[in-house]
Amino acid sequence: MNTIPVALQVYSLREMFPEMPLKTMRMIREMGFSGVEFYGNHFKNNFYRALLEETGLVCAGWHTPIDALENEKFEVTLERSLAVGNKYICVPWFNADTIDGWKAFADRLNAAAEKLRPYNIRTGFHCHEHEFAPVEGVLPWTVVAENTTADVVLQLDSGNALAGGADIMETLKMFPGRNHSIHWKPYSKSAGFSVPVGADDQDWQALLKWCENEGRTEWIVLEYEKEDPLTVLNKSMDYIRNM
């Protein structure tokens, strides 16, 4: 039985959330999710807080560009997370053409982690497929992991990583204890991303065992970006509940 709380990356319902925020959040709760991972800045801080209070959901994270953690934007980003009790600010995307570019990005993550530490908030990095394509003979995901401190969460996205050709479990085993937040995204080598959890090519039992032990995972974040999200998310949650 899974004992780790499951959140939904609200981007999965991006067609609904900006226009019907409360209805969307209620649907997320009804599907059995314990929390949400926000993205963007559609609303004011007190409105986000009110959405959580009304639905009983917890803010499990916030996807935020790296530049929003720097310079004058840092205080605004910090205030937003403090307003909702968020503990994880993860950068959702980055790319560079050189290893030096990736190392420089790692330095920026370290700097953000240092600034966030007094507030008991972690920063992190969420992967896409290109982090598993070699740059100058090295995988960018490895470069980021090896050049950031343990304060930086490695928010592996299982679907993106598998689509990029990674061996999920071997990738995780390289950096234990750094998966405080992890994305569970279904992916099938034959059907792509258009499948629910349990109807794909991932070893979810092995991934769950990792999360419960070596990963030190505090939040499993489900994400689905294709058509008919409500049907697929319900099927995915049914599978997770029955694991």
Side-chain angles (χ1 to χ4, degrees):
M1 178 179 179
N2 174 34
T3 59
I4 303 172
V6 182
L8 178 69
Q9 166 50 256
V10 183
Y11 186 76
S12 305
L13 299 176
R14 60 195 174 278
E15 301 299 326
M16 300 173 54
F17 181 60
E19 301 299 324
M20 300 180 292
L22 181 55
K23 181 178 180 180
T24 303
M25 293 278 282
R26 284 174 172 164
M27 294 175 70
I28 292 170
R29 184 64 172 172
E30 288 168 2
M31 282 188 281
F33 290 95
S34 299
V36 288
E37 182 180 57
F38 289 124
Y39 70 100
N41 54 352
H42 300 86
F43 316 111
K44 293 185 181 298
N45 297 351
N46 58 349
F47 187 71
Y48 280 110
R49 184 169 58 246
L51 288 174
L52 295 170
E53 291 174 352
E54 177 67 23
T55 58
L57 291 164
V58 176
C59 181
W62 209 310
H63 271 193
T64 305
I66 184 65
D67 64 343
L69 288 165
E70 299 171 325
N71 305 318
E72 70 279 358
K73 295 181 181 180
F74 175 78
E75 291 299 330
V76 175
T77 300
L78 174 63
E79 288 174 6
R80 186 176 296 130
S81 282
L82 291 176
V84 296
N86 176 40
K87 299 299 182 184
Y88 297 103
I89 303 175
C90 289
V91 177
W93 188 92
F94 182 80
N95 203 358
D97 296 327
T98 65
I99 292 301
D100 285 344
W102 282 103
K103 288 182 177 179
F105 172 61
D107 289 341
R108 296 169 73 185
L109 289 172
N110 286 331
E114 183 69 23
K115 289 191 294 184
L116 290 169
R117 186 180 298 114
Y119 304 96
N120 195 29
I121 298 174
R122 291 177 181 270
T123 192
F125 180 50
H126 166 269
C127 70
H128 285 79
E129 297 174 38
H130 63 267
E131 279 86 12
F132 301 96
V135 173
E136 299 176 13
V138 185
L139 299 185
W141 181 253
T142 303
V143 174
V144 172
E146 290 181 343
N147 288 275
T148 49
T149 68
D151 286 336
V152 176
V153 175
L154 299 178
Q155 193 187 50
L156 187 84
D157 182 301
S158 63
N160 289 347
L162 188 59
D167 182 312
I168 302 299
M169 298 312 303
E170 290 304 314
T171 300
L172 290 171
K173 289 175 183 177
M174 292 175 64
F175 307 103
R178 297 188 63 183
N179 312 119
H180 300 80
S181 174
I182 186 169
H183 268 215
W184 280 24
K185 181 185 291 178
Y187 177 77
S188 164
K189 295 177 181 177
S190 59
F193 292 99
S194 299
V195 291
V197 172
D200 57 355
D201 293 325
Q202 309 224 33
D203 187 344
W204 295 109
Q205 290 290 351
L207 185 54
L208 176 60
K209 184 178 179 181
W210 172 268
C211 291
E212 291 178 329
N213 296 287
E214 293 88 349
R216 299 181 186 172
T217 305
E218 296 183 2
W219 280 102
I220 291 170
V221 182
L222 188 62
E223 184 176 29
Y224 181 79
E225 300 180 10
K226 296 298 182 179
E227 301 78 17
D228 197 17
L230 292 175
T231 298
V232 173
L233 291 173
N234 272 301
K235 290 181 178 179
S236 295
M237 282 301 287
D238 285 344
Y239 182 88
I240 292 172
R241 274 191 291 266
N242 292 320
M243 286 183 70

